[in-house]
Amino acid sequence: MIRLKNILPKAFLFGIVEMVDISGVEKTYEWITTLGTKLAEIEGPGFEGAWEDDVNYLPICPFGNELIDFIHIHGSEIPSQFTELMNYVNRQKDESDEPWNYPALVSVLGILRHSYVTRRAKMAKAQVYNVGSKSVVNNIKVYNEEAIEKARMTKEQVSKILDRAFCVYKVEYLED
């Protein structure tokens, strides 16, 4: 059931399905990243979530419950449009010379969150590496090996934080 209190997140998720059907995965990816960037510019520089040294993490998955509810609306399966989008982004990461600039876990919410976090960090004169994420759907930990290496961390360090988080970013402040 869609209640008024969670209609906007579900409308966004339905919008993704429609965008993939109408415009394809590439345009949908661009649309989602543009939304994340614009929201970040409204919010301004900075970070949300908890800190451990120079690691920023989100203890909860924003809109995670809405995503799970949305999947149940579709018969407990991830909509094929979401899978197409995730496959597209994973191919982009695999073909990139800078795979550390991609989210560890590619999901529709992860694409939005990554563009939002990356833009806010850039405005704060920082570089972020999404070193790991945990799926809200099946609780699986996913690592971005290249980002872990670039951030000079270990998979074990990231895993320890993922035990209590859904998304982990290493933050490096840039020199002026």
Side-chain angles (χ1 to χ4, degrees), residues 8-29 31-32 35 66-67 70-74 77-86 108-109 111:
L8 287 177
K10 287 202 176 60
F12 173 67
L13 295 170
F14 275 112
I16 292 170
V17 169
E18 291 301 311
M19 280 288 296
V20 169
D21 288 345
I22 294 168
S23 301
V25 293
E26 184 176 347
K27 291 289 184 193
T28 303
Y29 174 72
W31 176 67
I32 295 170
L35 291 175
E66 285 80 2
L67 178 61
F70 184 81
I71 291 170
H72 287 298
I73 289 170
H74 278 63
E77 291 190 20
I78 296 173
S80 63
Q81 296 88 343
F82 286 12
T83 303
E84 289 176 48
L85 187 59
M86 292 182 292
V108 293
L109 296 177
I111 294 167

Side-chain angles (χ1 to χ4, degrees), residues 13 19 22 27 41 51 58 79 101 106-107 138 143 154 167 170:
L13 295 170
M19 280 288 296
I22 294 168
K27 291 289 184 193
E41 289 171 353
W51 286 91
L58 294 176
N101 287 329
V106 178
S107 69
N138 55 22
Y143 304 90
T154 66
C167 190
K170 169 76 176 215

Side-chain angles (χ1 to χ4, degrees), residues 38-172:
K38 288 186 182 285
L39 290 170
E41 289 171 353
I42 291 167
E43 191 67 27
F47 301 92
E48 294 178 22
W51 286 91
E52 183 173 302
D53 298 321
D54 53 357
V55 174
N56 178 255
Y57 63 93
L58 294 176
I60 61 167
C61 179
F63 302 116
N65 290 338
E66 285 80 2
L67 178 61
I68 291 170
D69 289 347
F70 184 81
I71 291 170
H72 287 298
I73 289 170
H74 278 63
S76 295
E77 291 190 20
I78 296 173
S80 63
Q81 296 88 343
F82 286 12
T83 303
E84 289 176 48
L85 187 59
M86 292 182 292
N87 290 340
Y88 170 79
V89 178
N90 281 325
R91 277 192 309 274
Q92 295 296 309
K93 179 184 175 192
D94 290 343
E95 295 170 5
S96 174
D97 292 334
E98 298 179 344
W100 53 83
N101 287 329
Y102 285 82
L105 173 66
V106 178
S107 69
V108 293
L109 296 177
I111 294 167
L112 178 74
R113 179 179 56 238
H114 188 70
S115 61
Y116 173 80
V117 169
T118 301
R119 180 64 182 133
R120 289 194 69 206
K122 186 175 182 180
M123 291 187 299
K125 296 184 174 36
Q127 167 76 43
V128 292
Y129 302 104
N130 181 208
V131 292
S133 295
K134 185 168 48 182
S135 170
V136 70
V137 175
N138 55 22
N139 218 29
I140 293 173
K141 294 177 183 178
V142 180
Y143 304 90
N144 184 332
E145 300 286 345
E146 296 86 359
I148 290 171
E149 182 179 326
K150 195 85 166 154
R152 296 173 305 281
M153 294 181 73
T154 66
K155 194 172 179 180
E156 291 74 27
Q157 289 172 306
V158 177
S159 183
K160 183 179 172 190
I161 298 169
L162 279 177
D163 286 342
R164 62 183 184 280
F166 280 92
C167 190
V168 180
Y169 283 91
K170 169 76 176 215
V171 178
E172 291 182 355

